Amino acid sequence: MEDGGSGKVVVLVDMDCFYVQVEKRLHPELKDKPCAIVQYNKWQGGSIIAVDYEARKYGVKRSLKGKEAKEKCPGIHLVQVPEKRRKADLSNYRKASGEVMKVLSGFTSVIERASIDEAFLDLTEPVKDYINSNSFDSLEFHADLKSTHVAGCNDDDDTHKDDCDLRISRGDWFKSSCSSDERVLIVAAILVQRIRETILNEVGFTCSAGISHNKMLAKLAAGMHKPNQQTILPQSQVDVVFSTTLLKKVRHLGGKLGEQVQDKLKIECVGQLQEYSLKVLQEKFGLKTGSWLYELCRGICHEKISNRIITKSIGCGKNFPGPSKLKTAKAVKYWLEQLSRELVERLEEDMTENTRQAQSITVHFLPEGQASSVARTFALPSYNTSLIVNNSWNAINKGHKPVTNEESHLTWTTGILNIHLSAGKFVQCGKGHMKSLLQLMSSDQECSFVSASSSHSSIITGKEVTQMTLCKEEREDAVLTTTPTITEQDQSLETSSMNITKFFTPIKRKGSLETQLDRNAKRREVVLEEIKGTLESDDDTIIDNQFEAVLCSECGEEVLKFVLEEHMDYHFALSLDKDSQIN
Ligand code: TTP
């Protein structure tokens, strides 16, 4: 099998216009009406973050404002993202995502949740089981596979068939598919059809899917026919498909690496890579990258499905751009309390659902005029709002020197533009442990507003924080999750907070990885700035959604969804380079 030797059946399931479907389920009166989801603000009716397929026919897309969408499609219904505690509340979308993942996990035990509405499935075993208990010849696949396309083939009812006579029809491909690889994909398509029907029946959402032998091909295939359709991409069709597939459409080539390949080779489509020998590709891009490109353009990819359906971190944040920047202690504490409450609520739900407990919190904050945010990690012995508020406040207050320390008028020379709290380092807990933790949590006094006067006495000191929970290794791990961008302000922490300083001091990394991490942090901030530039002050859904991104499994860095692909590309390129140096 020319699939990189995996012998696998890999599927990407991608929900159609996900947030719109979630809202339509909540508001059935919107069914069949053109609809878009907006993060409302007064300027031009807010930013569109999801559009259904009906509205797309009128040219409505994500980059438009609500007002522009109305002009293009007067009948459109604009649904606002719900708000809670004066910020976007994405809990309905997260819950709906969990429902979908639950359905998926009934079909295979190997699932990788790729984003809020996407998951890779390894269907190798279920397909084998299916083949063992059914005769392939008896399969009525034509009837079952109405919404299935075969990449590179014409659909049977394709009216432009004559224009592309090099392509065979979907029906002919089905009839002539006698290799075992092609048969497993047909069987997989039957299973995926059932999975999609089950999602629709049990959860009420349509989705699309890509069916192939590896993640790269499955992801590419999933985007070929939407909504509510599925596409098989067999190895035999890779050359036809790649002859017109742009480099940037392929997983890992959407970022810098793809640009480099395009610039160095002056090519646009993946298939053109086949014109270069392995030797030339290795000379131009290094041994491992060269080999990887050589295989990729032939449809070969060895990337594993990481078998993860729950996120590695849970976070929430808020941006305070322009005039809404936070300048007083009161404002910072107010928002810390809102964010902490949201976080604790989500952590409690997560504990019930996934029997796990987070052990650390990282508070990120972006002081005005700084290129990158400051990140501080502290231990989380229990899900206690007051503790999170106080420790986060302590971290911000120490790291962001106040002009005056007068209790009620604590102000800073520069404002704070963003605060984000992220809980991580989850450990599994047994049922007994869970019970006592939940009891502990229910006894948590809600943190009433922490006034400046009381804050200093109630702040848990660095010493207490370090003693309280983490052993040395855990502490070092926790520190590894901090953004390695410590500013001068951070370095000048008072001696009285030496323990906190020590706890927060990032472990020095060697050479290139450190530079790379810095670059990631900078890049993240640039993206944050770019996104912020297009948003109004309350418009934090997109940002919030980006923090959905988990801690990067490679470097422990928290990565925004927008840059995750590029970030992983970077690691990928880095590992290829490292390997080629060893070779
Ligand atoms: P996508 O899967 O990118 O898009 P979609 O599901 O809306 O549409 P499609 O059918 O083309 O796949 O994003 C999933 C959800 O994530 C989307 O419904 C809304 C949310 N989202 C944001 O909030 N901001 C963003 O910038 C993007 C890209 C998505």
Side-chain angles (χ1 to χ4, degrees), residues 14-20 37 48-51 53 56 62 90 115-118 208 226-227 541-543 545-546 561-562:
D14 180 7
M15 306 312 294
D16 301 320
C17 54
F18 187 50
Y19 284 16
V20 183
I37 309 301
I48 292 185
I49 57 167
V51 187
Y53 284 81
R56 288 185 204 191
R62 196 175 270 137
L90 306 183
S115 75
I116 195 162
D117 75 331
E118 277 183 9
S208 301
K226 290 192 105 226
T541 295
I542 295 178
I543 305 289
N545 196 37
Q546 301 326 306
K561 187 178 163 192
F562 267 85

Side-chain angles (χ1 to χ4, degrees), residues 129-387:
D129 292 347
Y130 193 97
I131 290 175
N132 287 341
S133 51
N134 292 275
S135 147
F136 183 81
D137 295 333
S138 70
L139 296 176
E140 290 292 328
F141 50 78
H142 273 101
D144 272 354
L145 296 177
K146 277 193 214 98
S147 68
T148 304
H149 304 263
V150 179
C153 295
N154 295 312
D155 287 342
D156 300 336
D157 56 354
D158 197 332
T159 47
H160 304 293
K161 207 171 174 176
D162 293 344
D163 301 342
C164 19
D165 50 4
L166 283 178
R167 296 178 167 205
I168 60 166
S169 77
R170 184 187 81 128
D172 288 344
W173 184 83
F174 279 138
K175 278 181 219 147
S176 65
S177 295
C178 31
S179 84
S180 59
D181 294 350
E182 290 172 343
R183 286 179 171 216
V184 295
L185 292 187
I186 294 175
V187 173
I190 294 170
L191 290 182
V192 174
Q193 179 80 40
R194 286 193 191 160
I195 293 174
R196 291 177 43 238
E197 279 163 13
T198 312
I199 295 175
L200 185 60
N201 292 337
E202 291 187 9
V203 191
F205 301 142
T206 66
C207 61
S208 301
I211 303 153
S212 193
H213 294 298
N214 59 51
K215 282 166 92 172
M216 183 249 308
L217 295 179
K219 168 83 182 164
L220 187 65
M224 288 179 176
H225 297 276
K226 290 192 105 226
N228 202 14
Q229 295 169 76
Q230 57 186 45
T231 308
I232 298 175
L233 176 39
Q235 190 62 44
S236 58
Q237 296 301 109
V238 164
D239 287 355
V240 180
V241 171
F242 279 6
S243 65
T244 53
T245 304
L246 296 176
L247 286 165
K248 65 176 179 203
K249 294 273 176 200
V250 175
R251 210 171 138 76
H252 298 310
L253 288 179
K256 294 268 181 298
L257 185 56
E259 279 168 26
Q260 265 181 30
V261 173
Q262 189 164 348
D263 290 351
K264 278 194 184 171
L265 302 179
K266 305 273 175 276
I267 59 169
E268 284 196 338
C269 295
V270 198
Q272 289 172 281
L273 274 169
Q274 285 195 14
E275 291 160 21
Y276 298 87
S277 68
L278 175 63
K279 193 163 169 271
V280 170
L281 290 174
Q282 286 179 333
E283 276 164 10
K284 290 196 184 287
F285 301 101
L287 275 183
K288 201 108 193 247
T289 309
S291 316
W292 177 74
L293 287 169
Y294 184 83
E295 292 191 326
L296 174 129
C297 66
R298 290 167 174 79
I300 302 167
C301 158
H302 304 274
E303 207 184 321
K304 290 200 170 64
I305 295 187
S306 71
N307 202 9
R308 164 171 60 76
I309 56 171
I310 47 177
T311 52
K312 283 189 191 168
S313 70
I314 292 179
C316 59
K318 172 116 183 126
N319 295 305
F320 310 98
S324 66
K325 68 187 171 193
L326 304 183
K327 285 182 290 194
T328 65
K330 193 174 168 187
V332 171
K333 285 175 185 173
Y334 172 82
W335 281 110
L336 279 177
E337 187 164 334
Q338 306 313 308
L339 294 174
S340 302
R341 281 186 179 180
E342 180 182 331
L343 189 61
V344 165
E345 229 171 70
R346 287 177 53 200
L347 285 170
E348 286 174 356
E349 279 169 17
D350 176 78
M351 182 184 268
T352 313
E353 269 168 38
N354 303 314
T355 51
R356 60 178 189 164
Q357 191 193 2
Q359 302 231 291
S360 71
I361 298 264
T362 301
V363 50
H364 301 252
F365 60 100
L366 178 63
E368 191 183 20
Q370 286 193 19
S372 53
S373 62
V374 182
R376 302 287 170 82
T377 298
F378 55 85
L380 183 67
S382 68
Y383 290 170
N384 179 310
T385 314
S386 318
L387 179 108

Side-chain angles (χ1 to χ4, degrees), residues 23-42:
E23 291 298 342
K24 283 191 173 182
R25 190 176 69 167
L26 282 167
H27 307 281
E29 69 278 10
L30 294 176
K31 193 170 180 277
D32 301 326
K33 296 187 175 144
C35 212
I37 309 301
V38 285
Q39 171 66 9
Y40 181 75
N41 58 52
K42 286 186 192 108

Side-chain angles (χ1 to χ4, degrees), residues 417-428:
L417 299 175
N418 169 270
I419 300 180
H420 177 250
L421 301 179
S422 164
K425 279 196 70 68
F426 284 92
V427 289
Q428 286 300 317

